[in-house]
Amino acid sequence: MIEMIIRRIVRREILNMHRPQHGGDIWQYDNIEDFSSNINPLGPPAEIKEFVLNAIDKLQYYPDDSATRLKETISNRFDIPTDLITVGSGSVELIRLFSEVFIDRGDKVLIPQPTFEEYAFSSKLMGGRIIRIPLNESENFRINFELLFEKITPSIRAVFICNPNNPTSRVEPKKKILELVEECEREGVLVFLDEALIDLVEGSERLSCLKEVESHENLFVLRSLTKAFAIPGLRVGYGIGSREIIKFMENARLSWNVGQIEQIVAARLIDECYEHIKNAIRVITSEKRRIFGELLAMRKHITAYYPDANFFFVNIAGLGIKSREFKHLMLRYNILVRDCTSFGPPCENYTRFSIKTAKSNTKLVKALRSIITELNSRHR
Ligand SMILES: Cc1ncc(COP(=O)(O)O)c(C=O)c1O
């Protein structure tokens, strides 16, 4: 009886809602190496323990609701005024907040897909209607900007762009993104640009559109500490946007959304540890080439694309199995990869794994070779 009442009053967007799925779910396995979350291959900086322990003394206080010190640190690093900055409990919180603030029931939202599932999830929670722009293998998973431009009209509320894109590992040129931002500005459309994965890409300063928020009123750029500093267990991300966008997001934000430990540690990481990211990029760049060479040698069975970011997106259809089974086979070698099925068709034929240090990557390549041999004998 009570169940019927609840089903009647729950918001209709939530009635049949499914939670998005993510990599990094190591909790149900023992002794597993995680290739499924795209984080810094070197792990967190060596100083991380000291940073966390130093922050413990402040636990007896509520966090600074305005995250003043953290915003100042971000402001200094990127030379951006503090009132263009908001911080969140992971960058994922800011995807939700942006949707809460700007997307209403019936609003149309453009999303190139496959991509990070949280944009569609948050938009749908608010009653938004998703218009999908397909990213096709035949176009090397690049955004078809011509098609996208055709869809941009004043009837669209927002466009979500993930750059680098998860799961395809594609980076779009800054010039193209800016053309899009300008076209959207003319049509009164917001651009949500997710750069959560950009820090680990060589030349990220050149590729990022972060500074462009100062000259484009419709732009919001999302950044994260999770991937750059390998700290998914601490939830902290930030967003840089035009003054008006940030003002309204700050008005609606959850109180004390970023914990005290997170605020202190994040400020120190941004202040003191950027060298750690540079070191990681060196490892990623050389390992990317090496692993790509290994994957090319398996091209009778799998199709690998040279990644722009720190993770591979690989078509495994030639193995005669789907992504889910592939994940389970890799688990037998204590390796967790991302089953891409939840990204929607055709991703059930793709797997995603991050680039780690040489020893770990070699372990992954060996496991892959063993699986190919095993499947070959199965099909004979
Ligand atoms: C593209 C992208 N954006 C945002 C996030 C959210 O990360 P976090 O909330 O840890 O900052 C992720 C996490 O996987 C991601 O892949």
Side-chain angles (χ1 to χ4, degrees), residues 26-179:
I26 54 144
W27 303 105
Q28 49 182 315
Y29 312 106
D30 291 325
N31 209 8
I32 280 290
E33 187 151 12
D34 182 21
F35 285 77
S36 74
S37 43
N38 303 322
I39 63 174
N40 187 318
L42 302 177
E47 301 90 329
I48 192 81
K49 263 195 191 154
E50 177 204 326
F51 292 173
V52 172
L53 289 176
N54 282 345
I56 297 271
D57 286 349
K58 300 286 190 305
L59 279 186
Q60 59 190 310
Y61 306 114
Y62 271 97
D64 172 8
D65 182 51
S66 308
T68 317
R69 164 96 182 83
L70 176 54
K71 282 184 191 163
E72 278 167 9
T73 312
I74 297 168
S75 160
N76 288 339
R77 166 139 301 267
F78 298 112
D79 191 22
I80 297 263
T82 49
D83 57 344
L84 305 191
I85 301 170
T86 186
V87 296
S89 171
S91 64
V92 74
E93 188 201 0
L94 301 177
I95 300 174
R96 172 72 69 89
L97 179 60
F98 179 91
S99 305
E100 283 169 350
V101 172
F102 295 112
I103 297 170
D104 228 333
R105 193 167 273 168
D107 282 349
K108 288 189 261 175
V109 167
L110 289 178
I111 310 182
Q113 287 177 336
T115 194
F116 191 46
E117 295 168 48
E118 293 285 339
Y119 322 131
F121 177 64
S122 293
S123 304
K124 283 190 206 156
L125 270 183
M126 300 306 131
R129 286 162 48 204
I130 311 301
I131 300 176
R132 179 176 193 268
I133 310 287
L135 297 172
N136 299 315
E137 184 164 0
S138 58
E139 293 169 311
N140 207 5
F141 298 107
R142 299 228 157 264
I143 295 178
N144 183 333
F145 280 93
E146 248 171 64
L147 181 67
L148 183 54
F149 272 50
E150 276 170 24
K151 306 267 180 200
I152 292 166
T153 65
S155 74
I156 301 293
R157 178 51 49 89
V159 185
F160 284 89
I161 302 287
C162 188
N163 202 40
N165 189 44
N166 172 9
T168 58
S169 203
R170 281 289 157 260
V171 173
E172 296 296 345
K174 180 170 179 175
K175 185 169 169 285
K176 281 284 171 201
I177 303 272
L178 283 182
E179 280 171 20

Side-chain angles (χ1 to χ4, degrees), residues 22 42 67 90 118 133 209 234 252 282 293 297 301 315 332 347 349 358:
H22 299 296
L42 302 177
E118 293 285 339
I133 310 287
C209 290
L234 288 175
R282 272 194 283 277
H301 310 278
N315 187 330
R332 295 205 322 232
C347 295
N349 292 318

Side-chain angles (χ1 to χ4, degrees), residues 318-378:
L319 293 176
I321 56 170
K322 297 287 181 201
S323 187
R324 186 161 298 147
E325 191 184 349
F326 180 74
K327 171 185 159 182
H328 288 294
L329 290 178
M330 289 297 269
L331 279 171
R332 295 205 322 232
Y333 298 87
N334 294 335
I335 288 173
L336 180 64
V337 295
R338 175 70 151 95
D339 161 16
C340 290
T341 312
S342 68
F343 287 103
C347 295
E348 68 280 5
N349 292 318
Y350 289 79
T351 190
R352 193 195 74 201
F353 48 85
S354 59
I355 299 165
K356 296 174 80 78
T357 51
K359 192 168 163 221
S360 299
N361 296 334
T362 300
K363 192 174 137 189
L364 180 134
V365 168
K366 274 190 188 154
L368 197 46
R369 273 202 216 107
S370 305
I371 287 172
I372 290 173
T373 311
E374 183 188 329
L375 289 174
N376 273 346
S377 58
R378 206 197 269 181

